[in-house]
Amino acid sequence: MRIAAVYNRFVRSGGLEENYLSDFIAQLLANGYQVDVITGQTDSDTSSLPPETRVKKLRTRALTPASRLRGFNRGAAQAVDELAADVSIGFGRTTTHDLHRAGGGCHHVYSDLLPLAKRLGPKNRAELALERALYTSGKTRHFICNSQMVAGQISQAYGVPGERISIVRTPVDHARFHPSSSDDQIRKEICAELRTEPSIPVLLFVSLGHRRKGIDAILRALPQVDDAHLWIIGSRLESHHVAEIERRQIGHRIFHLGRPSDPAPYYRAADFFLHPTLYDACANTALDSMASGLPGLISIHDGAHELVVDGRTGFLLEQPDNPEYLAATIAKALALDTKHRKSLGEAARQQVLPLTWENHLQQWFQLIEGLLSCR
């Protein structure tokens, strides 16, 4: 069977959607499918994609990000038609395919969280227009979401009936993210590098977009929490965050760890995963933390919260942008003894164990076969 995957950008410095799609394509190839990728940008050697992938690179003449989005959408629709694959699947800002995975969530909701200048900018308006066309034009037959939250948002924003949406949760790499008998030793080694005391509680924050992920609330909440360190993995802090840290005199409690090639040891070494995001469809970082046996404080604005049972597999943050509420929830988590914390982590891991590539692909194959049987 031949599948066309449509996504505008495959580069090594890409985000989580590129990583997911590269793994997804590799899994399809391993299961005997042929895969064509329709894209507008790749590395020069297409090393972001499995080597057996056939790549059709579209060239659009555009001077602005907004016009590039619109141009790629037009070119992708034509390419899908020309390739005549058995099934076409979209993963980004395109409108014409058999299936579409809304891995990034509902842009209609996320757009309201952007700063005013970005929200009114031409690129964001183009994204909103393309999303509306995707869900209302009838050019795509079925939609796949990775959380019930996103499915509900899409249905409410665009009137998509429930029978045209399926929930297929993101798989977790359990071989990479898991508890280990050497967790205490990993903690000691990391703390030795940071020159900190291993007995001090550690909150782990993983983010490539600090404003959306809730760093402002964290920096205002941390002074209200006694004796806890914050480890940050991801993008560098912006100057106003550094100034805020200095003003609140909490610099000695915050450690920026950069972007390690393997973050798994840090998940194993921390005490709690801190995730007061303003919006995530279903953050991989939340799932990875649970698989690692690291209980989380997870925002209800992340679809991953559907896997959290408050007080049993972690804690739900109903007011993630409220510093006082956040501080109180952190304090409640840190008050737990080691045995209770570990039981939360074990329960969290059990919750995500079914999220395997095998189960994920089985759901995809059922959707594909059902689509073909209706033709």
Side-chain angles (χ1 to χ4, degrees), residues 338-373:
T338 301
K339 182 179 180 180
H340 195 165
R341 177 179 58 80
K342 287 187 177 297
S343 70
L344 284 180
E346 291 169 0
R349 176 168 169 78
Q350 291 299 316
Q351 196 82 332
V352 298
L353 281 179
L355 303 184
T356 64
W357 268 108
E358 181 181 3
N359 289 339
H360 184 78
L361 289 171
Q362 185 60 37
Q363 294 175 76
W364 269 105
F365 295 157
Q366 289 175 356
L367 286 169
I368 291 170
E369 290 169 4
L371 191 74
L372 293 174
S373 67

Side-chain angles (χ1 to χ4, degrees), residues 41-195:
Q41 182 181 355
T42 65
D43 296 308
S44 58
D45 58 358
T46 65
S47 60
S48 298
L49 295 167
E52 302 95 328
T53 311
R54 297 179 296 190
V55 179
K56 183 175 181 60
K57 189 172 180 179
L58 306 182
R59 299 188 181 278
T60 58
R61 295 181 180 179
L63 298 177
T64 67
S67 58
R68 279 196 293 274
L69 284 170
R70 290 190 291 263
F72 179 73
N73 180 55
R74 290 191 297 269
Q78 182 178 344
V80 165
D81 188 54
E82 292 173 351
L83 284 174
D86 296 293
V87 174
S88 58
I89 308 174
F91 295 86
R93 302 283 180 235
T94 47
T95 63
T96 307
H97 7 64
D98 296 306
L99 301 170
H100 183 273
R101 180 181 188 262
C106 179
H107 193 71
H108 175 82
V109 175
Y110 172 62
S111 175
D112 288 340
L113 302 174
L114 294 173
L116 183 61
K118 285 189 175 182
R119 192 161 68 244
L120 299 178
K123 180 176 182 290
N124 188 58
R125 284 188 279 120
E127 290 180 306
L128 287 171
L130 287 170
E131 182 176 86
R132 176 166 292 279
L134 167 65
Y135 293 116
T136 63
S137 67
K139 295 179 180 179
T140 292
R141 298 174 60 184
H142 199 80
F143 305 101
I144 293 89
C145 298
N146 50 14
S147 68
Q148 292 284 354
M149 181 190 79
V150 171
Q153 290 168 347
I154 290 171
S155 182
Q156 181 175 4
Y158 301 110
V160 180
E163 60 268 22
R164 292 185 61 202
I165 303 177
S166 295
I167 309 300
V168 181
R169 296 198 181 274
T170 306
V172 179
D173 186 349
H174 294 287
R176 184 181 180 192
F177 295 99
H178 58 82
S180 169
S181 59
S182 61
D183 286 353
D184 290 342
Q185 183 60 34
I186 293 171
R187 167 79 161 248
K188 291 177 182 178
E189 291 173 359
I190 294 174
C191 288
E193 293 179 9
L194 300 176
R195 298 182 179 180

Side-chain angles (χ1 to χ4, degrees), residues 191-271:
C191 288
E193 293 179 9
L194 300 176
R195 298 182 179 180
T196 61
E197 173 55 51
S199 62
I200 298 175
V202 172
L203 306 168
L204 179 65
F205 176 68
V206 183
S207 164
L208 296 179
H210 293 329
R211 185 190 66 82
R212 175 169 62 89
K213 296 289 187 177
I215 189 66
D216 296 303
I218 291 174
L219 296 182
R220 291 195 291 270
L222 197 60
Q224 304 176 51
V225 180
D226 293 333
D227 200 28
H229 285 172
L230 178 69
W231 291 356
I232 299 176
I233 288 179
S235 304
R236 295 181 63 85
L237 294 173
E238 297 183 22
S239 58
H240 65 279
H241 293 140
V242 175
E244 180 78 358
I245 290 169
E246 292 176 354
R247 188 175 73 82
R248 296 185 179 275
Q249 299 182 343
I250 52 176
H252 62 290
R253 299 171 60 187
I254 298 176
F255 301 86
H256 186 268
L257 307 175
R259 298 175 66 173
S261 58
D262 183 11
Y266 298 95
Y267 284 96
R268 294 178 195 145
D271 292 300

